[in-house]
Amino acid sequence: MSLLDDDSKVPDFVLRKHTKPITALEFVRVPIAMQRRAITNDKETHDHSLTLKPFLLSGDQEGNVKLWDMATRRPAIERQCHQSHILTILQLGARDGIIDHRYFGLIITHGRDNCVKFWRLFDQQGKFTFTQVYDLPENALNFSNVDVMENELIAPNTMNSNAFDVYDIEFITDDVVNDHRLVRDMEAVDVFEAASASGKFTFEEFTLKRDSDESVNRVDKFGIIMKLLWVSDDTVYIGYESGHVASIRINPKSKKYEVLSVTKHHYPQPVLSLSYDPVQNIVISASIASQIVIYDVSTQAATAIKLDNIGKISSISTIKDKLVLSSWSGLIMFYTFDKSTYTLEYHHSFKKPKGMIAGDLNIMGNLQDTTGPKKNTVTKPNCMTMVERSTVPLSLKSKLSRRDVTVIESSFLSVGYDDGTISIYTDL
């Protein structure tokens, strides 16, 4: 039965090994041939996307990272990767179902200890190693993530949190990583200055007289970068402290860029989430208010959509035609987005009360329950991620364990909570 056909919304299972709040999640695809020696090791089999098995990487507030096997539901590897809050976990060389063998096997972790670290998750012989390859100093004062497209990494500028840098990380693929090959293709790019200088944008909101209440959260200019998102090899979306979202056409090698659009739908609240839906070619943003903004990447048009009974939105994730939102109130809500009418169709919602364990059928989420959660009864979701199902060819099924086949042919929603637990829902 599909999760969306079942009103109970009880997790299929809960992962419990972290002792601090979960702050980052990433499903990584690992060739199943690397786990089962019964499968041939020739290149054709390794390249076959249907032989990739999802594992979950989770990071917490103290810098711990765990690699979870979805079949055994236990950590396969545990590492202290950083000395502070994990901000970003990314798999390299596997984006939108396309494998780039130059980077495949590498992951990035990024922490508030001002480091971006590159790790070899599995080696060429097919074994998990989780060994550090390189450590790149990085500005993490503003809780912004970093993002990668092919061999370009975008990150907040090392000195100015309002601007960004772009690094060429191709040197990471060398047998021996050489510091001298690290290239910063672009440095200290300030989008507000570029947009203002272009003459195409005006920002009257920054010329308005300040309210007498100085406690109101308000910034001049865009403020610090909150979120970074590559959507293609030449387009980046950036969310700012001021609530503005900018899209940029960028060519790191020529060091040229153009500001395509700037919107202020979230102003003056900071942008807390940016997500890309490659199926519909849209970007979705959210701040601490109860609205989302949909951006058409092709036309740069932006539309704000107000949501009811959700509260402050904390994160966004997409899979196929589904949009999933989480809120500070503990709600996880499922929608489908109709691009032709720019409307959301609500499906289901649920929440995880404190102390709930897998199989506790007494607690259910309901959108019509407008009374809201009772004080101290709901655990706040901090982050979430999803992975789509694949199909295992019949010729391979006999060579795999039933549990591995089930994992590969399942879709998963992973939600990380403030209490250190990770709820897993299947069959989305």
Side-chain angles (χ1 to χ4, degrees):
M1 178 182 291
S2 169
L3 172 65
L4 298 185
D5 293 330
D6 177 10
D7 285 332
S8 67
K9 308 302 176 299
V10 175
D12 288 87
F13 53 95
V14 178
L15 305 177
R16 301 170 178 275
K17 205 71 189 293
H18 288 276
T19 59
K20 298 297 179 181
I22 306 300
T23 57
L25 294 167
E26 171 85 341
F27 277 109
V28 296
R29 296 279 193 173
V30 179
I32 193 67
M34 294 187 175
Q35 304 303 311
R36 297 288 173 177
R37 287 300 161 197
I39 298 179
T40 177
N41 287 322
D42 63 40
K43 187 173 185 295
E44 182 181 356
T45 298
H46 273 224
D47 285 350
H48 201 304
S49 62
L50 300 182
T51 64
L52 299 181
K53 175 183 172 182
F55 287 73
L56 179 66
L57 280 167
S58 60
D60 68 25
Q61 203 172 69
E62 287 195 343
N64 299 296
V65 172
K66 302 183 192 300
L67 177 73
W68 299 88
D69 188 330
M70 292 289 98
T72 65
R73 303 175 185 180
R74 297 179 182 276
I77 302 176
E78 302 179 56
R79 288 283 187 276
Q80 174 85 38
C81 292
H82 295 269
Q83 299 305 309
S84 186
H85 188 123
I86 301 291
L87 296 169
T88 311
I89 303 176
L90 286 174
Q91 181 177 22
L92 301 184
R95 185 161 182 144
D96 298 331
I98 300 174
I99 301 301
D100 183 341
H101 285 280
R102 296 175 301 164
Y103 300 98
F104 194 50
L106 293 169
I107 65 166
I108 283 175
T109 63
H110 169 218
R112 287 216 73 205
D113 54 359
N114 298 305
C115 292
V116 174
K117 295 185 179 182
F118 297 80
W119 306 82
R120 171 65 62 180
L121 183 61
F122 47 83
D123 62 20
Q124 296 301 316
Q125 285 70 46
K127 297 180 181 179
F128 283 124
T129 63
F130 216 140
T131 53
Q132 186 172 321
V133 175
Y134 191 74
D135 185 345
L136 175 66
E138 179 49 52
N139 176 2
L141 296 177
N142 47 341
F143 282 89
S144 173
N145 65 311
V146 300
D147 201 11
V148 174
M149 177 63 71
E150 296 182 351
N151 61 305
E152 301 288 351
L153 181 146
I154 187 169
N157 175 253
T158 50
M159 302 298 292
N160 178 6
S161 296
N162 299 5
F164 68 84
D165 296 337
V166 178
Y167 297 89
D168 184 336
I169 60 170
E170 189 174 8
F171 74 102
I172 292 296
T173 64
D174 294 347
D175 292 334
V176 178
V177 177
N178 186 342
D179 266 323
H180 297 295
R181 285 204 59 205
L182 174 64
V183 176
R184 184 152 37 184
D185 286 335
M186 304 184 75
E187 183 175 2
V189 178
D190 189 317
V191 175
F192 177 81
E193 290 184 358
S196 300
S198 72
K200 296 191 298 182
F201 305 95
T202 57
F203 304 105
E204 293 86 356
E205 58 270 29
F206 297 133
T207 64
L208 298 176
K209 184 179 179 180
R210 283 184 178 273
D211 297 328
S212 58
D213 182 2
E214 291 296 330
S215 66
V216 174
N217 180 25
R218 178 171 172 173
V219 295
D220 293 319
K221 303 184 179 180
F222 293 160
I224 62 177
I225 291 173
M226 301 295 293
K227 290 294 176 183
L228 293 161
L229 179 67
W230 282 106
V231 299
S232 67
D233 58 4
D234 67 351
T235 305
V236 174
Y237 277 72
I238 306 177
Y240 288 91
E241 179 188 14
S242 63
H244 291 77
V245 174
S247 61
I248 305 163
R249 181 176 292 120
I250 184 172
N251 186 331
K253 296 307 180 188
S254 67
K255 303 186 184 300
K256 294 181 179 180
Y257 61 94
E258 175 190 4
V259 181
L260 300 176
S261 67
V262 180
T263 63
K264 59 177 181 180
H265 291 288
H266 298 301
Y267 178 82
Q269 306 294 348
V271 176
L272 298 183
S273 186
L274 280 178
S275 181
Y276 177 55
D277 177 355
V279 175
Q280 302 193 76
N281 198 28
I282 57 173
V283 169
I284 309 102
S285 68
S287 68
I288 60 175
S290 55
Q291 74 168 5
I292 61 172
V293 181
I294 308 288
Y295 308 85
D296 187 320
V297 175
S298 299
T299 66
Q300 302 303 317
T303 303
I305 301 176
K306 177 73 174 177
L307 301 174
D308 297 323
N309 300 322
I310 188 171
K312 298 177 179 179
I313 299 168
S314 58
S315 60
I316 304 170
S317 192
T318 63
I319 183 170
K320 290 186 177 177
D321 63 339
K322 297 183 178 68
L323 173 64
V324 185
L325 307 176
S326 68
S327 78
W328 292 9
S329 66
L331 277 175
I332 309 293
M333 303 182 73
F334 282 78
Y335 298 88
T336 52
F337 173 67
D338 186 339
K339 192 174 181 181
S340 64
T341 61
Y342 268 73
T343 56
L344 291 175
E345 179 185 355
Y346 166 77
H347 291 287
H348 291 282
S349 66
F350 58 96
K351 53 193 172 187
K352 172 186 175 291
K354 285 187 176 180
M356 188 183 79
I357 60 175
D360 182 355
L361 300 179
N362 298 317
I363 307 297
M364 301 181 187
N366 190 329
L367 181 65
Q368 279 67 46
D369 179 11
T370 58
T371 59
K374 295 180 181 180
K375 186 177 181 181
N376 296 325
T377 62
V378 174
T379 306
K380 177 176 171 283
N382 292 329
C383 52
M384 61 183 176
T385 188
M386 295 189 284
V387 66
E388 296 186 39
R389 60 171 54 85
S390 297
T391 302
V392 179
L394 289 175
S395 60
L396 296 180
K397 283 191 175 182
S398 62
K399 301 175 182 178
L400 303 177
S401 71
R402 286 187 179 181
R403 288 194 301 182
D404 283 345
V405 172
T406 299
V407 167
I408 295 170
E409 294 190 334
S410 296
S411 55
F412 293 96
L413 166 66
S414 169
V415 185
Y417 288 91
D418 228 20
D419 62 1
T421 62
I422 304 168
S423 292
I424 305 294
Y425 301 84
T426 63
D427 295 329
L428 307 179

